[in-house]
Amino acid sequence: MNATPSIGRRKTARANVRITPGNGTITVNKLPIEAYFPVELQRREALLALTVAKLEGHFDIQISANGGGKRGQAGAIQL
C-alpha cells in the first residue's frame, strides 16, 4: 500500500504525516515519539485522533514536524 502524506498546520508549526498498516511504530523526525515528545500530554494530544477512533497499534506512522514549538507541532500532528 502506497501511503500519501497528509499535512497538518497549527500556528507556525507544520507536520507531514505518513500512515501505513503496521504494528504501531510511531516516529517523529526519525526519533521514537517518546524521545521527541518526552511530555506525555504532548504525545496524547498528537495521537488523540487514533485514540478516539480506537486505532492505536494498527498503523505505523512516520511524521516530519517543523516550525513552532513542541506544543504547536503536537497540535499540527493531531490535525
Side-chain angles (χ1 to χ4, degrees), residues 4-26:
T4 303
S6 296
I7 299 171
R9 294 183 184 95
R10 180 176 184 274
K11 295 187 176 182
T12 59
R14 178 183 170 121
N16 292 314
V17 179
R18 185 176 299 265
I19 300 174
T20 56
N23 60 5
T25 303
I26 302 171

Side-chain angles (χ1 to χ4, degrees), residues 4-78:
T4 303
S6 296
I7 299 171
R9 294 183 184 95
R10 180 176 184 274
K11 295 187 176 182
T12 59
R14 178 183 170 121
N16 292 314
V17 179
R18 185 176 299 265
I19 300 174
T20 56
N23 60 5
T25 303
I26 302 171
T27 58
V28 181
N29 294 343
K30 300 184 181 179
L31 295 172
I33 193 166
E34 296 82 11
Y36 193 79
F37 291 119
V39 178
E40 183 182 352
L41 180 62
Q42 292 170 341
R43 287 193 303 268
R44 279 196 274 155
E45 180 181 356
L47 302 176
L48 182 62
L50 288 176
T51 304
V52 169
K54 298 182 181 170
L55 294 174
E56 295 172 300
H58 291 95
F59 297 97
D60 289 342
I61 304 172
Q62 298 167 338
I63 302 164
S64 174
N66 56 52
K70 296 281 182 152
R71 178 108 193 256
Q73 289 178 2
I77 292 167
Q78 181 185 47

